[in-house]
Amino acid sequence: EQRTVDLSKVEILVLDEVDRMLDMGFLPQIKNILRFVPKERQTMLFSATLPDEVQRFVGPLVKEPIRISVGDATKPNAQVKESIRRVGNGEKPQALLEELKARTGKVLVFVRTQSRTQRLQRTLDREGYNAVCLHGGRTQGQRKRALEVFRGDSNSIMIATDLAGRGLDINDVDHVINFDVPSTREDYIHRIGRTGRAERTGEAVSFVEHGNADEEKVVTGKRPNGQTNSNNNTGSKSFNRPRRPGQHQGRHPRREKQHGLQTDSRRGPDESPRFAPRSERPQGMGERREDRNFRGGPRQGSNQHPKSGMAGSGKASNSQRMAWR
């Protein structure tokens, strides 16, 4: 756009981590670059994973493409030893300290948000660890210094968001700890792929909250038996609960009794008293809120509205206020 570079002689166009660029919405920028490069060129796309929802964006960028796959993109590197540590709510910081005490070498800790990286770094500093953090809110200079410290110390610790899940040229990461499990299986594979590189072995441990089937599915690639979601570990669903005989659809039987309604399940929606004329409705139905006789009544010693009977001014005791609430 600034016309400071001439791309008319480009013969090879390389798009690295193309799935992330397209998934983050950089397709307009890529198309803009393609306007300035020759149509007769070689285009190469590189990515550890290429989800189906992203492939439809790749089609217009290439011509007669050949896809070369090395290994299974849905499975992590076989040189990485994976494990799960089940934790409860609020137990992650203590679990992280225990894992760091039991491990030696470079450790890369992944968290979900930028603010959590800062808090976790301060926690480790108080415990005597020299940890650096990396996330999108840091300046380029801060990112560069953090990477230099992480590369230079064989026992360094880096706390990072998914920004560090791709593109880091660090071959000697010994351990990856998923403090927060990512939302997709693809991001998980990218994360643990930071270790076990260049014919080295590595370990990856993920903190999975008790009963969270969604997190376990991301880590293992399959949902645990008998679990359908993170909030229901029994596999049952509330909307499959059988109704009691005679219970009316959509109304609570106790409330129906209070209003003097019949709990006849054969009654259609048009026959419900809710749709009946005002004169035929049970007493109390269809009236405005201020017309009803609420507990406590109007506040004493105050002027009442002539129509609704509600208090207009004056003071009331605490017990009277509670009654009107």
Side-chain angles (χ1 to χ4, degrees):
E1 292 177 351
Q2 298 178 358
R3 301 184 181 277
T4 57
V5 61
D6 183 11
L7 302 179
S8 61
K9 303 295 183 181
V10 170
E11 297 179 356
I12 300 176
L13 174 65
V14 179
L15 300 177
D16 194 18
E17 303 295 353
V18 62
D19 61 331
R20 175 60 64 186
M21 288 195 295
L22 299 179
D23 193 32
M24 293 179 65
F26 288 109
L27 182 61
Q29 287 77 9
I30 295 178
K31 289 183 176 180
N32 193 26
I33 293 176
L34 295 177
R35 293 174 49 238
F36 295 94
V37 298
K39 293 184 179 180
E40 296 297 328
R41 66 178 187 278
Q42 181 181 6
T43 303
M44 293 187 290
L45 315 176
F46 292 95
S47 178
T49 58
L50 195 62
D52 295 337
E53 60 269 16
V54 178
Q55 292 190 33
R56 66 177 183 272
F57 296 111
V58 178
L61 307 181
V62 294
K63 180 180 179 181
E64 300 179 358
I66 298 177
R67 182 171 180 175
I68 302 176
S69 301
V70 179
D72 191 346
T74 62
K75 296 181 180 179
N77 191 345
Q79 298 173 178
V80 180
K81 180 182 178 182
E82 300 176 77
S83 62
I84 293 177
R85 177 163 182 168
R86 305 188 184 281
V87 297
N89 187 20
E91 297 177 356
K92 289 183 179 182
Q94 181 61 34
L96 177 61
L97 294 176
E98 295 174 0
E99 291 291 339
L100 294 178
K101 291 179 182 179
R103 300 174 184 272
T104 59
K106 280 187 173 65
V107 181
L108 181 56
V109 182
F110 282 102
V111 296
R112 183 174 293 113
T113 62
Q114 298 181 10
S115 59
R116 186 168 292 182
T117 62
Q118 304 287 150
R119 294 197 301 268
L120 206 55
Q121 182 190 27
R122 291 192 294 267
T123 300
L124 296 183
D125 287 341
R126 290 194 297 266
E127 297 294 331
Y129 293 97
N130 184 20
V132 296
C133 65
L134 182 70
H135 57 75
R138 309 279 282 181
T139 64
Q140 185 63 29
Q142 291 173 330
R143 298 182 194 181
K144 184 177 180 180
R145 287 192 295 271
L147 289 174
E148 289 176 352
V149 172
F150 189 56
R151 289 191 180 102
D153 189 353
S154 60
N155 290 299
S156 58
I157 302 173
M158 174 180 284
I159 308 169
T161 60
D162 280 326
L163 179 67
R166 303 166 183 248
L168 284 185
D169 186 19
I170 304 175
N171 295 327
D172 55 348
V173 176
D174 300 289
H175 309 277
V176 169
I177 299 178
N178 287 307
F179 188 88
D180 295 320
V181 176
S183 57
T184 64
R185 175 71 173 173
E186 290 78 12
D187 288 338
Y188 171 78
I189 293 177
H190 277 287
R191 283 186 180 186
I192 68 173
R194 298 304 95 192
T195 186
R197 301 167 67 88
E199 304 300 327
R200 295 171 61 96
T201 59
E203 296 185 16
V205 58
S206 301
F207 294 166
V208 176
E209 294 187 4
H210 293 296
N212 195 321
D214 295 330
E215 291 185 352
E216 189 162 343
K217 181 181 178 181
V218 169
V219 176
T220 62
K222 55 184 179 180
R223 188 175 295 277
N225 294 331
Q227 296 187 6
T228 58
N229 53 56
S230 58
N231 298 323
N232 189 359
N233 299 334
T234 62
S236 62
K237 296 183 179 180
S238 59
F239 54 78
N240 287 334
R241 185 183 304 165
R243 296 185 178 274
R244 295 188 298 273
Q247 181 177 352
H248 184 262
Q249 178 77 16
R251 292 192 61 86
H252 196 281
R254 181 179 300 175
R255 295 178 181 175
E256 292 179 348
K257 184 177 180 180
Q258 291 176 352
H259 288 293
L261 305 181
Q262 297 179 355
T263 56
D264 187 0
S265 60
R266 296 171 297 177
R267 183 176 55 200
D270 296 335
E271 302 173 31
S272 172
R274 181 181 299 273
F275 301 94
R278 182 178 297 272
S279 60
E280 300 178 8
R281 296 181 187 178
Q283 184 177 4
M285 289 195 64
E287 299 177 358
R288 296 180 60 183
R289 178 180 178 89
E290 58 267 22
D291 292 336
R292 298 182 186 180
N293 184 20
F294 282 96
R295 182 183 61 180
R299 288 182 289 185
Q300 298 179 359
S302 62
N303 297 328
Q304 298 181 353
H305 193 279
K307 181 177 180 181
S308 63
M310 296 189 68
S313 62
K315 297 183 180 180
S317 64
N318 291 334
S319 60
Q320 289 171 334
R321 292 194 186 99
M322 291 301 297
W324 274 85
R325 289 178 184 173

